[in-house]
């Protein structure tokens, strides 16, 4: 880190300003948590300045972000301890939300997450989010246009807010955050011969729903029917489909984790440049590459409900889309110049991109990107003009989800 910090490389200032990796804490964690050493394995990538920067960000997020997380007996369990302060009955959030790697959060944090999901199912909130994601028009907007990443960022945040609210003033879930699924580490373990399949490498699949009890089952959620192996362990023991049948369906998990999910591929995705190789790809291009690459690969390989618009019926959707949001965050950190936020005209934005090698946020949707934001004919018809100031389309039938009491 000292060597790379001495070089003039974009986005290192962001790392130094936000880093929580204090040397004493790092030493203590290395002494106390031997299993975390697996996060320090080296992998071979072309060492351009951009990939070095992204490697450092991955180190910070996949190792460093865990350092402040410790067991606490005085504050609510969650990935960000002491997440709020209470004054005269008013709760105000004071600390950022830190989402942790499912494999590295504590057993008590995993148990808290399971309890929150189960309670949201009992109250019907979980099912309502499935319905919103599966709404026909919403599905076109969220999967056939460049709104994909920001729609799902909002979806995940709304779901996280819902879980946090479940215990009201008692605050049992007030600090809960959605863990993320570091499938890149599982791909590395598969490549090193420590496991040989998606189900064998990713413990999160067993932790969230369990292994299939039988095969050839069908389940119908929000009008979407899929077939596969029946999974009905926690937190799915009380989740019933449209016909009152418990559980969801997945494939058996015996497929290998594809190379699309490797650390190297993720770095190349985040570092990707436009045709002239001097400017990062726009947001519209990045989100499309991410969706059609690593995102779809995981959904398709899990199978069952996951490749469908009723995918939120599978709790793996939540931890996977927490990861998708993390990838977007990495891209934003490395490529967006937030100091140019006000420069929303195309000429100023294009000039800023050429001179700073970083993109003003509003440029990402502009005509300068030369990328069509609506991919399909349905999206072009229903949402012909999506730009940086467009309002997200999130409805169930004609009901705006902001007016939906269950969301």
């Amino acid at each position: 880190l000292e060597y790379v910090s001495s070089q003039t490389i974009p986005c290192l200032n962001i790392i130094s300003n936000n880093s929580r990796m204090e040397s004493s804490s790092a030493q203590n964690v290395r002494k106390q948590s031997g299993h975390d050493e697996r996060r320090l394995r080296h992998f071979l990538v072309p060492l351009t300045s951009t990939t070095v920067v992204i490697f450092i960000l991955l180190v910070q997020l996949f190792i460093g972000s865990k350092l402040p997380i410790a067991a606490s007996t005085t504050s609510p369990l969650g990935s960000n301890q002491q997440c709020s302060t209470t004054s005269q009955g008013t709760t105000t959030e004071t600390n950022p939300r830190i989402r942790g790697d499912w494999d590295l959060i504590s057993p008590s944090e995993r148990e808290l997450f399971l309890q929150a999901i189960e309670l949201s199912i009992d109250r019907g909130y979980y099912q309502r989010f499935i319905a919103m994601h599966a709404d026909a028009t919403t599905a076109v907007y969220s999967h056939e246009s460049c709104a994909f990443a920001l729609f799902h960022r909002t979806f995940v945040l709304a779901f996280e807010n819902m879980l946090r609210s479940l215990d009201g003033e008692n605050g049992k879930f007030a600090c809960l955050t959605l863990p993320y699924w570091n499938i890149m580490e599982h791909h590395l373990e598969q490549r090193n011969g420590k496991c040989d399949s998606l189900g064998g490498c990713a413990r999160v699949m067993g932790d969230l729903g369990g292994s299939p009890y039988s095969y050839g089952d069908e389940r119908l959620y929000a009008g979407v029917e899929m077939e596969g192996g029946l999974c009905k362990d926690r937190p799915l023991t009380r989740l019933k489909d449209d016909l009152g049948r418990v559980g969801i369906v997945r494939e058996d998990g015996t497929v290998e984790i594809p190379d699309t999910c490797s650390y190297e591929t993720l770095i190349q995705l985040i570092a990707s440049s436009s045709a002239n190789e001097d400017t990062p790809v726009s947001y519209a291009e990045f989100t499309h590459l991410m969706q059609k690459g690593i995102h779809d690969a995981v959904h398709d390989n899990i199978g069952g409900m996951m490749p469908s618009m009723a995918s939120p019926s599978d709790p793996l959707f939540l931890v996977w889309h927490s990861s998708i949001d993390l990838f977007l965050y990495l891209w934003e950190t490395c490529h967006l110049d937030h100091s140019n936020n006000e420069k929303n005209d195309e000429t100023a934005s294009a000039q800023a991109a050429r001179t700073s090698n970083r993109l003003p946020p509003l440029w990402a949707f502009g005509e300068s990107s030369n990328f069509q934001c609506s991919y399909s004919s349905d999206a072009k018809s229903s949402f012909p003009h999506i730009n940086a100031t467009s309002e997200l389309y999130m409805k169930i039938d004609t009901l705006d989800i902001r007016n939906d009491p269950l969301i």
Side-chain angles (χ1 to χ4, degrees), residues 81-237:
Q81 298 296 326
Q82 300 175 339
C83 63
S84 61
T85 57
T86 302
S87 176
Q88 297 179 345
T90 301
T91 300
T92 305
E93 188 171 315
T94 56
N95 293 334
R97 305 184 189 199
I98 309 297
R99 292 172 177 163
D101 181 332
W102 179 267
D103 289 342
L104 298 181
I105 62 176
S106 68
S108 55
E109 287 176 314
R110 287 194 287 269
E111 173 61 24
L112 187 76
F113 181 72
L114 291 173
Q115 290 181 19
I117 295 295
E118 290 169 336
L119 186 53
S120 72
I121 289 172
D122 290 345
R123 295 184 181 178
Y125 303 154
Y126 188 98
Q127 295 87 323
R128 197 60 174 163
F129 275 84
I130 301 172
M132 188 256 283
H133 190 271
D135 177 84
T137 306
T138 295
V140 168
Y141 176 80
S142 59
H143 292 81
E144 299 175 22
S145 81
C146 67
F148 166 76
L150 294 176
F151 173 94
H152 285 89
R153 166 170 287 177
T154 306
F155 184 98
V156 166
L157 182 62
F159 198 96
E160 190 174 76
N161 286 341
M162 179 271 288
L163 294 181
R164 286 180 155 217
S165 74
L166 289 174
D167 197 38
E169 295 181 358
N170 296 323
K172 179 178 179 179
F173 305 109
C175 293
L176 182 147
T177 54
L178 294 183
Y180 62 84
W181 177 1
N182 183 3
I183 198 170
M184 293 76 65
E185 188 68 22
H186 300 148
H187 177 272
L188 183 61
E189 291 172 348
Q190 175 183 274
R191 188 168 64 189
N192 290 341
K194 294 192 172 183
C195 51
D196 61 7
S197 65
L198 178 62
C201 298
R203 64 168 292 173
V204 67
M205 292 189 66
D207 290 344
L208 297 178
S211 301
Y213 283 79
S214 58
Y215 294 95
D217 289 272
E218 296 176 345
R219 288 296 181 269
L220 179 73
Y221 283 97
V224 179
E225 186 174 66
M226 302 298 288
E227 182 177 333
L230 176 61
C231 298
K232 56 180 182 179
D233 288 345
R234 296 187 68 197
L236 301 172
T237 55

Side-chain angles (χ1 to χ4, degrees), residues 235-249:
L236 301 172
T237 55
R238 296 192 294 275
L239 179 65
K240 296 181 180 180
D241 76 349
D242 297 355
L243 301 179
R245 298 169 295 185
V246 172
I248 54 101
V249 289

